[in-house]
Amino acid sequence: MPDTTPRGLTRLAFGGDYNPEQWPESVWQEDVRLMREAGVTMVSVGIFSWALLEPSPGTYDFGWLDRLLDLLHEHGVRVDLGTPTVVPPVWFYRAHPEALPVTAEGVRYEFGSRAAVCHSNADYRAAAARITTALAERYGSHPALALWHVHNEYGVPVSACYCDSCAAHFRRWLAAAYGTVDAVNEAWGTAFWGQRYTDFEQISPPRLTPATVNPAQALDYKRFADATMRENFRMERDILHRLSPGVPVTTNFMTALSQCDSVDYWAWGREVDLVTNDHYLITDGRRTHVNLAMAADLTRSVAGGAPWLLLEHSTSGVNWQPRNPAKAPGQMARNSLAHVARGSEGAMFFQWRQSRRGAEKFHSAMVPHGGTGTRVWREVVELGSFVDALAEIRGTRTDADVAVLWDWHSWWAQTLDWRPSVDHDARERADAFYEALYDRHLTVDFAHPEADVSRYPLVVVPALYLMTEAAGRNLTAYVEGGGTLVVSYFSGIVDEHDAVHEGAYPGPLRDVLGLTVEEFSPLLPGERVRITGPDGTELGADVWTEFVVPRGADTVLAYADGPAAGLPAVTRHRLGEGTAWYVSTRLGADGLDTLLGRAAADARIAPRPDLPRDVEVVRRTGESGTYLFAVNHTGADAKVPLEVPGTELLTGERAAGRLAVPAGAVRVVRLDG
Ligand code: GLA
Ligand code: ZN
């Protein structure tokens, strides 16, 4: 079995993507000197180097990489070595133009950017296997090698290809999944609009069609595209395992829902030896540290709770958004250490030295254009010392309070056309529920709907439109066993083929929620409804309403106006030892806080009024101890109560009673135990 931690790395990982091929070798000496100054422990190398490593078919030039790995090794820097299969050289494409992917509209992409890969193309697969084999043979036992980094961010920016090779591959995938073409007809409901197939050969990818394409076909194509990328990952991984035994293999994920929507990370988490993630702040006006926390929690969850590694984030601004603000002083350290609090075994960046040329020259780096006399460099050096001071937390795990159910397939199904309302957005609901839990200072584990969640006192289900019967049984047993469940509208509607569950909505959730839903009645833009309760509670909601019929559930809040006036809006159902809440409309932040406060009381989760908003408190525990991370995202000094005294690792000071966390600062206390 390959190890799951980077080989030979005895500290937390600190470093970045290192692209020395962009610089004369004279600069490399300065690089390694500065790496030592900053406390860099690992760099990612070679991710985009195929054209240099194999300048013409079958001719390899490893000289520069030999010298580089030796130099890094001499300076004690471990290496995360990329397989460059995300960027085949131009000679490859000129020989195999059909390896360039094709859009649903039938347009073939051109060479000249990156990640232009058709994952079904046999020539691509063969070439990727050859370069991976050559690298593994040459460096598989190099003393600097700590980790293999396959490809780069599968699924981004091309999530699926619609070419003829993919069509043929899709047919094979369907035949393996369904056995007969009639089973496909049944699953896709091709009786509708006369789409019946009599032969697999007749089936195409969901290319451009005049009206909306068959939704089950579109959903299966997303599954196929994801599975196809995974096939290619496995192919490379297996070569590396064979030729480089004992060295863990990863590929960098992008779990933030705003950054990659085409990859089922539950499935990918099972394939890698070590889960690694890339995260960038999206500056859309929302609190970026909440999005960061959510991505980190999701990453840890796809790693099954095990330690994972932040492989890329930015020291300051990025360059690919319409507007790319620089990070504020101290923000980089807060970002890095918030990831560490949530399970990352270090903090790595894109990239080490800021490029002078190419598409990413305005993307920040550890060594900025301005060199070492800059704020960014000073903060990088300081962060290096923080990360170094935290070495003892390696292997500890983040404690979570609640579970949020998440399923990429259900999300994909909710992005299909012709739904009750374009304003319903599954990701928005996941974000909103996460944010409400974050603001109650609860740490979230994400869980697949069929996973065992019995250890969590509270389970939250944002919008789980696609849900199997098995998931319904899972949640029913969870509540019967004493759990508290909160389910948001448009959940439990269809099965895995986007076919509506038989009987009334919400099929597999009817029993546990003690209700049925007769109809959805989405609201028009700007339209709002009021929902009220007998205790005087009054909340506003928008986007969605439903006609709910209680069948055992109690009405807690009812619609005071709107299409569902007089009908239940929020219900509570006692079942077995537990409680199931249902909310049939889109609550804002206040409403979600009210709802989750009541559910948390049912779950006997104590509120944390002692913690200020935006002061993030997270724990990691393990054999070496219990560590309390406090990240102060506010501009005011804060105090965080400690139940036992401890030692603060970044300052070395003793801490007891109320831990002072200065404005914008991070503190990590090893609690006495
Ligand atoms: C991604 C890529 C990197 C780089 C960064 C820039 O994460 O993996 O190569 O392009 O984005 O933010
Ligand atoms: Zn293709």
Side-chain angles (χ1 to χ4, degrees), residues 3 55-56 112 120 205 227 241 249 262 273 289 346 367 372 408 410 413 424 498 541 547 568 626 641 650 657:
D3 205 349
S56 59
S120 298
H241 279 170
V249 178
S262 55
D273 300 325
H289 53 275
V367 183
T372 54
W408 276 271
S410 178
H424 167 62
D498 200 46
F547 304 155
T626 296
L650 306 184

Side-chain angles (χ1 to χ4, degrees), residues 98-102 117-121 161-167 221:
E98 69 294 345
L100 288 161
V102 173
V117 169
C118 163
H119 283 280
S120 298
N121 184 274
C161 169
Y162 296 79
C163 77
D164 290 342
S165 305
C166 285
Y221 205 70

Side-chain angles (χ1 to χ4, degrees), residues 558-583:
Y559 289 99
D561 53 18
L567 297 178
V570 173
T571 61
R572 178 173 180 268
H573 185 220
R574 298 279 312 164
L575 181 71
E577 303 295 306
T579 308
W581 290 79
Y582 184 64
V583 53

Side-chain angles (χ1 to χ4, degrees), residues 456-539:
Y456 301 99
L458 179 63
V459 170
V460 175
V461 183
L464 201 59
Y465 158 79
L466 179 154
M467 208 176 141
T468 59
E469 295 285 350
R473 287 192 296 274
N474 186 36
L475 296 182
T476 306
Y478 166 73
V479 172
E480 284 171 344
T484 302
L485 180 70
V486 177
V487 176
S488 181
Y489 64 88
F490 211 39
S491 293
I493 306 301
V494 298
D495 67 11
E496 58 271 44
H497 302 300
D498 200 46
V500 173
H501 284 287
E502 287 190 63
Y505 309 137
L509 291 170
R510 285 192 301 256
D511 293 344
V512 66
L513 297 176
L515 53 79
T516 57
V517 174
E518 285 197 355
E519 267 185 273
F520 317 122
S521 191
L523 301 176
L524 299 179
E527 199 181 352
R528 294 187 61 79
V529 290
R530 283 183 310 121
I531 63 176
T532 56
D535 62 355
T537 304
E538 176 168 336
L539 302 171

Side-chain angles (χ1 to χ4, degrees), residues 322-576:
R323 295 163 199 86
N324 301 287
K327 287 192 180 178
Q331 192 179 4
M332 172 182 68
R334 287 196 297 282
N335 290 166
S336 297
L337 298 178
H339 283 289
V340 174
R342 292 173 191 274
S344 176
E345 297 276 271
M348 310 260 300
F349 293 91
F350 177 84
Q351 63 177 330
W352 165 252
R353 186 181 279 278
Q354 190 168 13
S355 306
R356 283 188 57 214
R357 298 184 171 84
E360 298 190 305
K361 53 182 166 293
F362 295 117
H363 192 293
S364 60
M366 297 174 82
V367 183
H369 286 153
T372 54
T374 54
R375 171 179 77 92
V376 165
W377 175 252
R378 286 188 292 276
E379 289 196 25
V380 163
V381 173
E382 182 184 47
L383 177 61
S385 71
F386 290 164
V387 172
D388 190 53
L390 297 178
E392 64 182 83
I393 66 157
R394 290 173 78 228
T396 58
R397 293 178 174 226
T398 302
D399 300 335
D401 304 298
V402 304
V404 171
L405 298 193
W406 177 255
D407 178 16
W408 276 271
H409 294 201
S410 178
W411 181 25
W412 298 343
Q414 289 176 83
T415 61
L416 300 170
D417 294 338
W418 292 14
R419 308 279 120 174
S421 171
V422 294
D423 297 322
H424 167 62
D425 176 347
R427 196 185 96 198
E428 180 280 331
R429 276 299 80 184
D431 287 353
F433 273 91
Y434 183 89
E435 191 162 355
L437 293 164
Y438 181 96
D439 283 340
R440 299 189 72 81
H441 298 282
L442 297 173
T443 304
V444 169
D445 272 348
F446 288 88
H448 185 273
E450 292 178 26
D452 177 10
V453 286
S454 55
R455 66 181 180 283
Y456 301 99
L458 179 63
V459 170
V460 175
V461 183
L464 201 59
Y465 158 79
L466 179 154
M467 208 176 141
T468 59
E469 295 285 350
R473 287 192 296 274
N474 186 36
L475 296 182
T476 306
Y478 166 73
V479 172
E480 284 171 344
T484 302
L485 180 70
V486 177
V487 176
S488 181
Y489 64 88
F490 211 39
S491 293
I493 306 301
V494 298
D495 67 11
E496 58 271 44
H497 302 300
D498 200 46
V500 173
H501 284 287
E502 287 190 63
Y505 309 137
L509 291 170
R510 285 192 301 256
D511 293 344
V512 66
L513 297 176
L515 53 79
T516 57
V517 174
E518 285 197 355
E519 267 185 273
F520 317 122
S521 191
L523 301 176
L524 299 179
E527 199 181 352
R528 294 187 61 79
V529 290
R530 283 183 310 121
I531 63 176
T532 56
D535 62 355
T537 304
E538 176 168 336
L539 302 171
D542 63 0
V543 169
W544 194 272
T545 65
E546 289 176 347
F547 304 155
V548 173
V549 182
R551 299 184 192 277
D554 299 321
T555 300
V556 178
L557 301 172
Y559 289 99
D561 53 18
L567 297 178
V570 173
T571 61
R572 178 173 180 268
H573 185 220
R574 298 279 312 164
L575 181 71

